[in-house]
C-alpha cells in the first residue's frame, strides 16, 4: 500500500515538472532594455505655465476732444500705432526683463485745465514716470506745471520753444521731432537757397502765450540768414473765424514772404485764400503740413494754392505712400512701413501721425538704451547721445546752444513746393539746430 502511494506521488511530481518546463520554453524571457533600473519611483514633471509678461505703463496725454481735436487726434493715433508696433516686436527689454507697453490714456481736452487734471491722474493714480504729452503751448505749459515738480519725464510731440516747455530748467524732457524753431530754420534755409529775390519776411503767429519768447527766436533765425523781418510779429487769435482783416494787415507790411509758424492746413488755407483774394501774390510758408488736405480745405483753387512751401508729405492713399520718391525719402527707411500700418489700421496717414509716433517710439528706444525706468537716469543718458536712428532716419541730438539743453532730436525732412495747384517734393531740409 505504501509503495502504491509513493508511485502516485512521484508521478504527480514528474507531471508538474514537465508542464513547467514546457511553459518556460514556449514563453521566452523579455529582451532587457538599456535603461538602468531606478531605485526610487520616477517623479512627474509639473505642468508648464507661461508667466504673464511684465508691463511698462506709459502715460498718453492728448487732446481727444475740444478745440483742434481733429489735429491732435491724429497725433494720438500715431502714438497708439507706435505702441502697437513696439509690442509686436516684443515691447522693451530693460535689465534682461521684457515688458509690454501699456498705454494709460488721458484726454487733456486741448485746455490748460484738462492738461493739469489729466497729468495729475496719470501721476497720482496710475503712477506713471513717463508721459508722451501735448503739443499746444498753453496745454504743454499746464502739463509741465504738474510733471516737472513730480520728477516725471515728458516727451511732447511738438516743441513751441517756450522756456517752460523746453529749456535748461526742464531736464526731464525730450523733443522727439522737429518743432517751431527747427521748421523755421528749414523754411528760411530753403527760402534763401531757392528764392534769392525774396528779402522781407513777415512772421505770423497764433496768440497762444508764446509770442514774447518765440518771436525773437524766429526773428533771429531770419536775420542771421540775411533777411529783413518787417516789424513785430502779427498775431492771430486762437478762436479766429474771419482771417480777411488779419490778411489785410499782413499785406500792409509789404513783405515778400509770410511765415506762418506754428500753423496747420486749415490756418494756412485761410491765410492763403484771404491773402490771394486781396492781392497778395508773395510766398507763404509754414512749419508742417500736408498738400492734399490743404487742397481740400482751400477748395483746390490753383490761383490760391501757389507760391507756397512747407515741410511734410502728402499721402491721400496707400498707393501715394508707396510712390513717395526715394531721392527725398531714401534717408527715412521707416516712413513707408509706418504708413502701411497706419493705412491698415486707420485708413489714413499724415505727418501729424508721425509727430505722435516719434514721441512714443523715440522715448521707448531711449529708455531701452539707457536700461532704466528712472527718469533721472534716462535724462542723464540723453546728455551723452549724439545721434539716434528714428523714423525720419538718422537724427542728431542737438539744441544746447538754442534751448540750453541738448535733448532735441532733429534730422532731415522733405519739403512740399506748390505752384499753380500742383505739388512737387524738394529737399530734404536739415532741421538740426545748434
Amino acid at each position: 500500500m505504501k509503495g502504491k502511494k509513493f508511485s502516485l506521488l512521484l508521478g504527480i511530481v514528474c507531471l508538474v515538472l514537465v508542464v513547467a518546463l514546457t511553459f518556460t520554453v514556449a514563453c521566452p524571457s523579455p529582451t532587457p532594455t538599456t535603461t538602468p533600473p531606478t531605485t526610487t519611483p520616477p517623479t512627474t514633471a509639473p505642468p508648464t505655465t507661461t508667466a504673464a509678461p511684465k508691463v511698462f505703463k506709459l502715460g498718453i496725454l492728448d487732446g481727444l476732444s475740444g478745440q483742434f481735436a481733429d489735429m491732435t487726434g491724429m497725433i494720438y493715433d500715431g502714438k497708439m500705432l507706435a505702441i502697437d508696433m513696439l509690442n509686436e516686436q516684443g515691447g522693451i527689454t530693460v535689465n534682461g526683463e521684457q515688458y509690454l507697453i501699456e498705454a494709460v490714456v488721458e484726454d487733456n481736452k486741448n485746455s490748460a485745465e484738462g492738461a493739469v487734471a489729466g497729468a495729475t491722474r496719470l501721476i497720482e493714480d496710475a503712477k506713471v514716470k513717463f508721459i508722451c504729452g501735448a503739443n499746444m503751448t498753453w496745454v504743454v505749459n499746464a502739463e509741465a506745471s504738474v510733471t516737472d515738480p513730480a520728477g516725471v519725464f515728458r516727451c511732447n510731440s511738438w516743441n513751441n520753444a517756450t522756456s517752460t516747455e523746453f529749456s535748461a530748467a526742464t531736464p526731464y524732457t525730450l523733443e522727439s521731432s522737429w518743432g517751431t524753431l527747427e521748421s523755421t530754420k528749414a523754411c528760411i534755409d530753403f527760402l534763401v537757397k531757392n528764392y534769392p529775390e525774396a528779402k522781407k519776411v513777415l512772421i505770423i503767429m497764433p496768440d497762444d502765450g508764446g509770442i514774447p519768447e518765440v518771436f525773437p527766436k524766429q526773428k533771429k533765425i531770419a536775420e542771421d540768414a540775411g533777411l529783413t523781418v518787417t516789424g513785430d510779429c502779427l498775431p492771430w487769435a486762437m478762436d479766429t473765424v474771419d482771417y480777411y482783416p488779419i490778411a489785410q494787415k499782413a499785406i500792409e507790411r509789404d513783405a515778400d514772404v509770410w511765415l506762418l509758424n506754428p500753423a496747420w492746413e486749415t490756418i494756412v488755407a485761410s491765410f492763403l485764400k484771404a491773402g490771394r483774394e486781396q492781392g497778395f501774390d508773395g510766398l507763404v510758408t509754414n512749419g508742417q503740413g500736408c498738400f492734399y488736405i490743404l487742397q481740400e480745405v482751400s477748395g483746390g483753387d490753383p490761383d490760391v494754392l501757389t507760391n507756397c512751401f512747407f515741410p511734410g508729405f502728402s499721402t491721400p492713399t496707400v498707393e501715394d505712400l508707396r510712390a513717395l520718391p526715394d531721392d527725398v525719402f531714401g534717408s527715412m527707411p521707416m516712413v513707408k512701413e509706418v504708413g502701411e500700418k497706419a493705412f491698415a489700421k486707420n485708413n489714413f496717414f499724415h505727418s501729424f501721425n508721425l509727430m505722435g509716433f516719434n514721441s512714443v517710439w523715440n522715448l521707448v528706444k531711449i529708455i531701452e538704451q539707457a536700461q532704466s525706468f528712472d527718469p533721472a537716469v534716462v535724462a542723464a543718458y540723453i546728455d551723452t547721445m549724439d545721434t539716434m536712428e528714428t523714423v525720419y532716419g538718422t537724427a542728431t541730438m542737438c539744441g544746447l546752444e538754442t534751448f540750453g539743453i541738448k535733448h532735441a532730436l532733429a534730422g532731415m525732412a522733405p519739403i512740399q513746393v506748390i505752384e499753380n495747384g500742383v505739388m512737387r517734393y524738394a529737399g530734404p531740409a536739415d532741421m538740426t539746430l545748434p
Side-chain angles (χ1 to χ4, degrees):
M1 187 70 178
K2 289 182 180 179
K4 288 182 179 180
K5 289 182 178 178
F6 176 79
S7 297
L8 179 60
L9 180 60
L10 181 60
I12 291 170
V13 170
C14 290
L15 180 60
V16 170
L17 290 173
V18 170
V19 172
L21 179 61
T22 302
F23 184 82
T24 301
V25 172
C27 302
S29 300
T31 304
T33 66
T34 57
T35 303
T38 58
T39 56
T40 57
T43 58
T44 302
T48 58
T49 58
T50 303
K54 293 190 173 185
V55 170
F56 163 53
K57 290 185 176 183
L58 178 62
I60 304 293
L61 184 57
D62 264 314
L64 306 181
S65 62
Q67 191 181 23
F68 311 123
D70 54 340
M71 177 189 67
T72 53
M74 290 189 283
I75 296 171
Y76 168 79
D77 288 342
K79 292 177 183 178
M80 301 310 291
L81 184 64
I83 291 173
D84 288 347
M85 288 182 64
L86 288 164
N87 283 338
E88 287 171 5
Q89 297 176 13
I92 181 174
T93 300
V94 174
N95 295 324
E97 294 188 300
Q98 194 171 20
Y99 298 79
L100 293 181
I101 301 159
E102 177 186 324
V104 185
V105 180
E106 288 287 345
D107 179 9
N108 64 39
K109 303 178 182 179
N110 282 318
S111 70
E113 297 80 8
V116 169
T120 300
R121 285 191 293 269
L122 287 173
I123 294 169
E124 295 184 358
D125 298 342
K127 309 298 182 185
V128 303
K129 291 295 183 182
F130 296 85
I131 293 176
C132 289
N135 65 305
M136 299 288 194
T137 300
W138 68 96
V139 185
V140 178
N141 288 344
E143 173 190 318
S145 71
V146 179
T147 60
D148 294 6
V152 170
F153 197 102
R154 59 182 167 85
C155 179
N156 296 108
S157 50
W158 180 271
N159 174 22
N160 297 285
T162 65
S163 57
T164 305
E165 291 174 83
F166 191 74
S167 67
T170 65
Y172 291 1
T173 52
L174 172 69
E175 181 189 339
S176 61
S177 191
W178 75 73
T180 297
L181 296 190
E182 289 88 349
S183 55
T184 294
K185 174 186 176 295
C187 290
I188 293 297
D189 288 348
F190 188 84
L191 173 70
V192 170
K193 181 178 179 180
N194 294 277
Y195 303 93
E197 71 283 359
K199 300 295 185 183
K200 297 182 293 183
V201 178
L202 170 62
I203 298 175
I204 304 173
M205 293 180 63
D207 193 4
D208 60 2
I211 289 176
E213 278 195 89
V214 182
F215 169 67
K217 298 173 184 177
Q218 294 199 77
K219 181 180 180 182
K220 183 177 186 303
I221 291 172
E223 291 178 340
D224 286 350
L227 301 174
T228 299
V229 176
T230 59
D232 291 336
C233 168
L234 180 62
W236 54 274
M238 300 300 291
D239 59 354
T240 298
V241 175
D242 181 4
Y243 288 85
Y244 280 77
I246 307 171
Q248 179 58 47
K249 292 179 181 179
I251 291 171
E252 292 170 359
R253 295 286 189 93
D254 192 29
D256 303 315
V257 186
W258 292 357
L259 171 62
L260 303 164
N261 200 14
W264 49 99
E265 293 94 348
T266 53
I267 307 302
V268 176
S270 297
F271 273 101
L272 275 171
K273 193 169 183 179
R276 300 296 187 227
E277 291 182 0
Q278 296 182 79
F280 179 69
D281 59 1
L283 292 159
V284 175
T285 185
N286 68 291
Q288 178 163 260
C290 171
F291 169 63
Y292 86 89
I293 294 182
L294 188 61
Q295 276 184 309
E296 292 175 356
V297 297
S298 68
D301 185 344
D303 292 331
V304 172
L305 287 175
T306 193
N307 287 347
C308 56
F309 63 90
F310 45 85
F313 55 88
S314 179
T315 52
T317 68
V318 70
E319 288 75 23
D320 291 295
L321 169 72
R322 293 166 183 166
L324 288 175
D326 291 337
D327 59 337
V328 174
F329 290 84
S331 63
M332 299 159 62
M334 284 184 63
V335 167
K336 292 185 180 181
E337 177 188 358
V338 175
E340 290 276 358
K341 290 185 177 293
F343 272 110
K345 183 176 181 180
N346 303 317
N347 197 32
F348 186 84
F349 186 49
H350 187 284
S351 56
F352 286 149
N353 295 145
L354 281 188
M355 285 172 57
F357 185 97
N358 270 330
S359 68
V360 169
W361 184 273
N362 294 342
L363 175 60
V364 169
K365 291 296 183 181
I366 289 173
I367 290 171
E368 190 167 44
Q369 290 179 29
Q371 285 292 289
S372 177
F373 291 119
D374 183 339
V377 173
V378 172
Y381 178 78
I382 294 174
D383 290 335
T384 71
M385 297 178 67
D386 294 317
T387 61
M388 178 181 173
E389 294 305 311
T390 74
V391 68
Y392 280 112
T394 303
T396 300
M397 195 68 77
C398 61
L400 183 60
E401 179 182 327
T402 305
F403 302 109
I405 183 173
K406 196 185 81 168
H407 286 201
L409 270 174
M412 310 297 285
I415 298 289
Q416 299 164 94
V417 180
I418 304 168
E419 298 290 349
N420 301 315
V422 178
M423 187 273 288
R424 64 178 174 84
Y425 286 109
D430 185 3
M431 297 282 184
T432 306
L433 288 172

